[in-house]
Amino acid sequence: MAELAPWPATSLLREASAGDEAVALIWDDGERAGFPLIWLRDHCPCLECRHPQTRERLTVPLEEATLRPEASLEAGHLRLAWADGHVSQFAAGWLYQRRPEAPAQSPLPARRVWRDAFTPVRVRHADFFTPAGESAWLEALLRDGLVLLEGGPLVDEEVSRIAECIGPQRPTNFGARFDVRSKPNPNNAAYTAIGLALHTDLPNWRQPPDIQLLYCLENAAEGGESLFADGFQVAEALREQAPEDFRLLSEIAIDFRFQDETQDIATRAPVIECDANGRVVEIRFNNWIRDALRLPAEQMAPWYRAYRHFWTLLHSPRYQLDFALAPGEMVAFDNRRVLHGRRAFDPSTGARHLQGTYLDRDMLESRLRVLARQA
Ligand code: OGA
Ligand code: ZN
Ligand code: ZN
């Protein structure tokens, strides 16, 4: 069927009848569905209609009239003989999964906003390299927007090795893999020892990195604890407490910009982005790289009020997760949803070294679908 995901091999057809518009099917369990003729012809899995190696569709559903085929059952599966001589054979279970009224099936978890006392899922480093452990890690990350890995080795580039089990590392102007420690001539607040207020990385990019991995190699300095908040949870709290402030942050686009000797990367977008149904889908929040505020003068004061309100809520202890990463631990989070930060540290008291990289969400979803089809 040109399909790698499994379908229920046991559900067979009891009846098939072709009309001028559709084929009506009844399965063994009594379930019924009607498939339009154009749909069936478009989904023909034969070697002329689907490339045998790539599994990609080779035909275009251009034919206006797909004339009524002869429908018959072969060992419980559907056979259609079309008027032009073409024959299509469909596995009954494959059609069963695709009944127009069937509930959508997906191995991907729904997003779940943090509630008070959110405790992140922890996965052992060794378990990550098993299908069950990797699935648990992926599910928690896609659902909660944050997951921890623990008990990993203290070796350079372990973060890249983990990332590449999932997909290619997403490069940015800071490289595909970056070191977080205090450096001479820093081009980024993270490369100093100062505290970092909650932020999302790279909101100055049209498409900020989806997922961030931070792997702790050393954390012996005083301070340097990690801070997180679920931007979706706090945005909902803002919507409830101050709908006008929420409206300003979600409707007014502002400029974000990073500049150094060789780069000037800028985009204009709202702090809170909603989809067409008003659901929050992205947070862009990074006070260092907010560019000059370019708005009609009368919008400026209300926008600052809304921004301060959101800032205050985000940093209130009620919404914050606060813990020190131990060497060998890695935090992974949804950079377009969960904000991160850290307390200041004192580099004279010991070393602090994290290695980080980014991944595309598509690669996480892909891994979870592949693992689900192997399960
Ligand atoms: C970063 C960052 C956090 C930390 O590198 O983007 O926010 O704990 N680092 O140092
Ligand atoms: Zn065909
Ligand atoms: Zn950051």
Side-chain angles (χ1 to χ4, degrees):
M1 290 307 289
E3 178 71 55
L4 292 174
W7 62 82
T10 51
S11 70
L12 296 176
L13 286 162
R14 186 204 293 168
E15 226 179 285
S17 57
D20 288 332
E21 302 289 333
V23 173
L25 300 175
I26 308 177
W27 282 266
D28 275 348
D29 64 358
E31 200 65 55
R32 292 159 184 265
F35 287 90
L37 298 183
I38 183 75
W39 189 96
L40 288 162
R41 186 65 188 250
D42 186 38
H43 291 78
C44 176
C46 85
L47 299 184
E48 272 171 50
C49 295
R50 287 273 172 170
H51 192 282
Q53 273 106 33
T54 70
R55 300 178 191 85
E56 291 167 326
R57 179 180 285 107
L58 299 175
T59 54
V60 183
L62 290 178
E63 266 148 289
E64 280 297 289
T66 311
L67 294 179
R68 181 206 286 228
E70 299 271 339
S72 56
L73 294 184
E74 279 185 355
H77 301 291
L78 179 65
R79 180 179 194 278
L80 296 177
W82 300 91
D84 63 359
H86 199 83
V87 172
S88 304
Q89 289 176 291
F90 294 93
W94 186 89
L95 287 170
Y96 189 87
Q97 276 182 336
R98 285 160 185 75
R99 294 174 340 268
E101 318 315 320
Q105 290 179 4
S106 167
L108 307 182
R111 284 185 170 169
R112 196 165 72 195
V113 165
W114 296 0
R115 273 167 232 145
D116 295 340
F118 164 72
T119 311
V121 168
R122 290 178 162 268
V123 173
R124 298 285 309 162
H125 178 273
D127 293 339
F128 177 84
F129 297 93
T130 66
E134 188 185 346
S135 298
W137 184 88
L138 289 163
E139 275 168 21
L141 180 49
L142 292 172
R143 183 189 62 224
D144 300 332
L146 186 144
V147 66
L148 287 162
L149 204 67
E150 60 184 11
L154 303 183
V155 298
D156 189 48
E157 293 290 351
E158 185 58 17
V159 73
S160 305
R161 189 173 155 239
I162 292 168
E164 282 171 358
C165 294
I166 308 293
Q169 299 175 67
R170 153 82 193 268
T172 76
N173 53 305
F174 297 109
R177 224 267 299 121
F178 52 90
D179 284 280
V180 186
R181 55 184 154 198
S182 57
K183 301 177 193 179
N185 303 318
N187 65 350
N188 175 331
Y191 303 158
T192 67
I194 63 174
L196 302 180
L198 290 170
H199 64 283
T200 60
D201 278 7
L202 302 157
N204 57 313
W205 285 60
R206 188 168 286 112
Q207 159 121 6
D210 292 334
I211 303 295
Q212 181 166 180
L213 310 183
L214 284 174
Y215 195 100
C216 178
L217 290 173
E218 282 180 288
N219 204 358
E222 254 164 52
E225 296 85 0
S226 299
L227 309 170
F228 297 94
D230 181 355
F232 288 5
Q233 178 191 22
V234 181
E236 290 308 334
L238 180 70
R239 171 149 46 193
E240 180 146 346
Q241 285 181 19
E244 178 59 11
D245 288 347
F246 179 91
R247 192 187 67 76
L248 292 168
L249 294 184
S250 58
E251 289 182 5
I252 296 180
I254 62 159
D255 293 293
F256 296 93
R257 181 172 179 212
F258 168 89
Q259 40 185 327
D260 67 7
E261 285 63 33
T262 56
Q263 309 280 0
D264 192 335
I265 309 169
T267 198
R268 191 166 168 88
V271 168
I272 299 174
E273 191 179 322
C274 295
D275 66 12
N277 300 319
R279 239 173 60 111
V280 176
V281 290
E282 171 151 21
I283 305 293
R284 287 180 195 254
F285 198 92
N286 188 318
N287 202 52
W288 300 283
I289 59 170
R290 234 175 1 92
D291 199 10
L293 189 65
R294 191 160 52 89
L295 292 178
E298 71 278 8
Q299 278 187 9
M300 289 188 182
W303 186 87
Y304 279 112
R305 183 199 65 217
Y307 185 69
R308 276 201 311 272
H309 193 166
F310 194 37
W311 175 285
T312 308
L313 274 183
L314 280 166
H315 290 87
S316 84
R318 161 156 190 207
Y319 297 115
Q320 265 191 53
L321 202 62
D322 175 347
F323 58 87
L325 278 172
E329 282 183 351
M330 184 188 83
V331 61
F333 54 92
D334 181 341
N335 180 57
R336 298 170 78 168
R337 164 182 171 186
V338 170
L339 294 90
H340 64 287
R342 68 153 189 247
R343 294 199 198 289
F345 61 95
D346 178 355
S348 71
T349 57
R352 182 179 190 275
H353 183 198
L354 310 182
Q355 288 189 321
T357 189
Y358 303 110
L359 284 170
D360 288 324
R361 186 181 182 88
D362 301 79
M363 290 292 101
L364 277 78
E365 295 184 351
S366 168
R367 272 306 289 164
L368 205 46
R369 290 193 194 96
V370 169
L371 289 163
R373 87 187 175 207
Q374 290 164 353

